[in-house]
């Protein structure tokens, strides 16, 4: 009898039932999440995450010395509270050093608390300072007053104190790269302790300070970090010293001081107690360092490497800046260090607006997140438009807005060390690009102005900002954007003049709207232009004066954009011709840096 092979054999009733095996797949809705299941075959065996940060960030392209310095910035942790710091002998010594400095300068005297006076509090802040080779230089502890408890008219009056604009910092680095200037950095020890107080300010006894009897407080005789008027007092004292030494205060940026002697030039840029020295004469740089050290006691940090969170690297090709550590800290603090990277800052299919979605519960978290992104735009122009969009919903964010903010952070994970490169072989010509998206805001129907400026091939200034009025046409929106770009160009020319730099060619602003250029070039007055404010016609005035020229630049039919679009368009831009080369060279990945 033939054997039938396609019928399975019968299962004995005594044998256990065996379930058939099937392939298991992860649900599609989990594709954007990281599931920490150790040992999974689809995950990294070393980190247990699908997208380890090591796949997107490495030090292979850094020189050995700079790699050691970069790694040391994130290797050590700093205490957050006094109770944590007092467990370490190094931090105890640092706090004693700070208290000794306060005693030498006569910052306060301990008195009995006067009646009807509520003293302000204080807090210790800790920071690890590194040498240029990456080793720890010192542990720094700073006593900060809780100035947010001060009462205006009683504890303080005037508070304003200018600080260097980040555009000025980028401009100075770009010029130093082209001209081959010396670039040095220093900070002032206990800078705010040098200011004299005229107001009666009382502070609680700080942690670690012993008092003889209860109900005693510190009466401040000199300014202290955290006081609302502290930066103003310090700025006044430093400015008076530099003016006595022959330096001229810039009118375009009041934190910039310059000195011109024969063929030598020196620039001094101040951001509170951090100072950048640039110039052609190393003897003058050393002289002013000695004067500052004699009057205030400074810490000479040598060649600029780390300034206001900007990591500065030098190479034969130029000077590169980035916020690598800041970006990695942002990824870590937001809990997205192991998340899946996004290809664009914003989802092209979503237009952010004030929707009726579910409100985001932790509003302060959203505000902190957007605030950190705003500071990151100092070296990341590719997230400028996205951050501008997110900033519109700080008062009432929804879950959609928070997810959009998280997408920007996931986009940053692609390359946390990306920054700007200031080439050495570049022309000293200002080139600008202006653009606007007509009625782009769905809530107000206002347009967004966007512009960027290059010094040769170095990107130094950019902005994305919603216009204050509604434009009736795309020509009007583009003309208003052109007016904003003209104001920025005028200020940049003033800044170049203060730095004793002459442009090799006439500045040019490129615009993709011929109607706006016709309005700028001709005294047009008709139904479509008579309602435009007079201040917008600044463009026409500057063009007629010959200060600049406005040039048309077209958009191809394939939908490609020029550099101005990276701050006003929702999609990543693709640049045409020479403009593509200029922007590509300006955005650096810090190759071959020292």
């Amino acid at each position: 009898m033939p054997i039938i092979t396609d019928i399975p054999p019968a299962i004995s009733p005594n044998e256990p039932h065996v379930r058939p095996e099937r392939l298991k797949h992860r649900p599609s809705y989990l594709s954007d999440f990281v599931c920490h299941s150790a040992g999974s075959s689809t995950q990294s065996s070393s980190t247990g995450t699908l997208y380890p940060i090591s796949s997107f960030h490495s030090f292979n392209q850094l020189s050995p010395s700079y790699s050691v310095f970069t790694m040391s910035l994130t290797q050590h942790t700093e205490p957050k509270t006094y109770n944590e710091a007092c467990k370490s002998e190094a931090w105890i010594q640092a706090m004693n050093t700070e208290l000794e400095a306060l005693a030498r300068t006569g910052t306060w005297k301990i008195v009995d608390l006067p009646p009807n006076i509520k003293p302000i509090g204080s807090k210790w802040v800790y920071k690890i300072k590194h040498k240029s080779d990456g080793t720890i230089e010192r542990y720094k502890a700073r006593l900060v007053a809780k100035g947010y408890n001060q009462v205006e008219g009683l504890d303080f009056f005037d508070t304003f104190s200018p600080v260097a604009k980040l555009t000025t910092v980028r401009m100075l680095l770009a010029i130093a790269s082209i001209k081959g200037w010396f670039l040095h950095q220093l900070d002032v020890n206990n800078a705010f302790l040098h200011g004299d107080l005229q107001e009666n300010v009382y502070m609680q006894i700080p942690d670690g300070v012993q008092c003889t009897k209860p109900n005693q407080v510190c009466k401040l005789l000199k300014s202290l970090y955290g006081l609302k008027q502290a930066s103003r007092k310090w700025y006044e004292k430093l400015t008076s010293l530099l003016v006595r030494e022959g330096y001229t205060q810039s009118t375009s940026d009041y934190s910039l001081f310059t000195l011109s002697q024969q063929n030598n030039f020196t620039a001094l840029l101040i951001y509170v107690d951090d100072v950048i020295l640039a110039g052609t004469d190393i003897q003058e740089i050393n002289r002013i360092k000695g004067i500052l050290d004699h009057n205030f006691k400074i810490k000479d940090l040598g060649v600029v490497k780390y300034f206001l969170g900007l990591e500065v690297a030098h190479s034969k090709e130029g000077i590169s800046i980035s916020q690598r550590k800041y970006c990695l800290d942002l990824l870590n603090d937001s809990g997205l260090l192991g998340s899946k990277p996004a290809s664009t800052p914003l989802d092209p299919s979503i237009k952010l607006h004030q929707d009726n979605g579910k409100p985001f519960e932790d509003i302060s978290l959203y505000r902190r997140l957007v605030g950190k992104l705003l500071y990151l735009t100092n070296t990341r122009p590719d997230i400028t438009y996205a951050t501008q969009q997110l900033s519109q919903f700080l008062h009432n964010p929804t879950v959609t807005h928070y997810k959009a903010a998280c997408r920007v952070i996931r986009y940053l994970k692609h390359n946390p060390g990306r920054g700007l490169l200031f080439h050495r072989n570049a022309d000293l010509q200002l080139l600008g690009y202006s653009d606007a998206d007509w009625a782009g805001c769905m809530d107000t129907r206002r347009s967004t102005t966007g512009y960027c400026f290059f010094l040769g091939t170095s990107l130094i200034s950019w902005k994305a900002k919603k216009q204050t009025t509604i434009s009736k046409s795309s020509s009007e929106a583009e003309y208003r954007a052109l007016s904003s770009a003209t104001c920025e160009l005028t200020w940049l020319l003033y800044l170049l003049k203060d730095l004793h730099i002459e442009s090799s060619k006439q500045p040019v602003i490129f615009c993709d709207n011929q109607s706006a250029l016709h309005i700028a070039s001709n005294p047009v007055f008709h139904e479509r232009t008579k309602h435009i404010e007079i201040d917008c016609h600044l463009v026409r005035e500057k063009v007629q004066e010959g200060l600049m020229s406005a040039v048309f630049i077209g958009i191809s039919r394939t939908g490609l954009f020029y550099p101005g679009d990276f701050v006003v368009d929702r999609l990543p831009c693709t640049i045409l011709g020479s403009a593509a080369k200029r922007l590509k060279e300006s955005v650096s990945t810090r190759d071959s840096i020292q």
Side-chain angles (χ1 to χ4, degrees), residues 33 76 190 257 449 459 472:
F33 297 87
H76 305 93
N190 303 307
F257 296 82
T449 292
L459 184 61
K472 296 179 63 177

Side-chain angles (χ1 to χ4, degrees), residues 291-407:
I291 293 174
L292 292 174
D293 184 61
H294 175 72
N295 288 271
F296 305 121
K297 299 301 178 183
I298 67 170
K299 177 65 66 174
D300 189 355
L301 303 177
V303 179
V304 178
K305 281 195 174 183
Y306 194 72
F307 184 76
L308 302 178
L310 308 181
E311 299 178 32
V312 184
H314 306 259
S315 69
K316 296 180 180 179
E317 289 76 17
I319 297 176
S320 139
I321 62 173
S322 71
Q323 293 170 275
R324 181 202 59 86
K325 179 182 182 298
Y326 185 88
C327 189
L328 289 175
D329 291 342
L330 177 58
L331 282 165
N332 188 40
D333 295 341
S334 60
L336 297 173
L337 191 63
S339 62
K340 179 182 179 181
S343 57
T344 57
L346 292 177
D347 189 346
S349 62
I350 297 177
K351 180 70 174 178
L352 296 179
H353 62 96
Q354 198 62 258
D355 54 39
N356 296 323
K358 181 181 179 181
F360 185 64
E361 296 179 356
D362 196 346
I363 298 179
S364 60
L365 173 62
Y366 180 83
R367 292 173 178 173
R368 289 195 302 269
L369 197 59
V370 175
K372 292 178 181 179
L373 290 174
L374 280 172
Y375 191 70
L376 191 57
T377 57
N378 289 317
T379 57
R380 295 297 297 265
D382 49 343
I383 65 170
T384 302
Y385 176 76
T387 307
Q388 182 269 338
Q389 290 288 293
L390 296 171
S391 301
Q392 301 179 68
F393 314 106
L394 295 177
H395 62 290
N396 188 22
T398 63
V399 175
T400 302
H401 301 146
Y402 176 71
K403 290 182 178 179
C406 292
R407 181 184 175 90

Side-chain angles (χ1 to χ4, degrees), residues 141 206 355 390 430 455 480 591:
D355 54 39
L390 296 171
L430 284 172
L455 183 64
R480 293 184 186 277
D591 295 345

Side-chain angles (χ1 to χ4, degrees), residues 26-45:
R26 172 180 295 207
S28 59
Y29 61 84
L30 292 178
S31 59
D32 289 337
F33 297 87
V34 177
C35 299
H36 297 280
S37 54
S40 175
S41 59
T42 60
Q43 295 181 347
S44 171
S45 59

Side-chain angles (χ1 to χ4, degrees), residues 155 157 195-201 220-221 229 233 236:
D155 297 327
F157 294 94
D196 299 321
L197 288 179
Q198 283 76 39
E199 305 86 1
N200 291 325
V201 182
L220 298 182
L221 305 177
Q229 67 268 47
K233 300 298 182 182
E236 291 174 352

Side-chain angles (χ1 to χ4, degrees), residues 163-165 168-169 172 181-188 234-235 238-243 245-250 253-260 265-281 284-293 296 298 304 307 495 498-499:
V163 294
K165 298 178 177 64
T168 307
V169 175
L172 186 62
W181 288 353
F182 296 101
L183 268 176
H184 286 237
Q185 178 185 359
L186 57 93
D187 66 4
V188 182
W234 156 245
Y235 177 80
L238 178 60
T239 299
S240 61
L241 174 63
L242 293 175
V243 171
E245 294 300 324
Y247 280 78
T248 302
Q249 190 173 18
S250 170
D253 189 336
Y254 287 99
S255 296
L256 176 65
F257 296 82
T258 59
L259 178 66
S260 180
F265 177 80
T266 306
L268 190 145
L269 191 61
I270 303 170
Y271 197 103
V272 190
D273 58 349
D274 292 308
V275 181
I276 288 183
L277 281 167
T280 59
D281 188 4
E284 171 58 27
I285 292 177
N286 292 331
R287 184 189 77 87
I288 194 63
K289 281 183 181 179
I291 293 174
L292 292 174
D293 184 61
F296 305 121
I298 67 170
V304 178
F307 184 76
L495 190 59
D498 290 338
L499 292 171

Side-chain angles (χ1 to χ4, degrees), residues 121 129 140 179 220 227 237 303 314 339 395 469 493 584:
K129 296 291 185 178
K140 183 176 181 180
K179 292 288 189 178
L220 298 182
L227 295 180
K237 200 151 192 175
V303 179
H314 306 259
S339 62
H395 62 290
T469 59
L493 290 174
K584 184 178 180 181

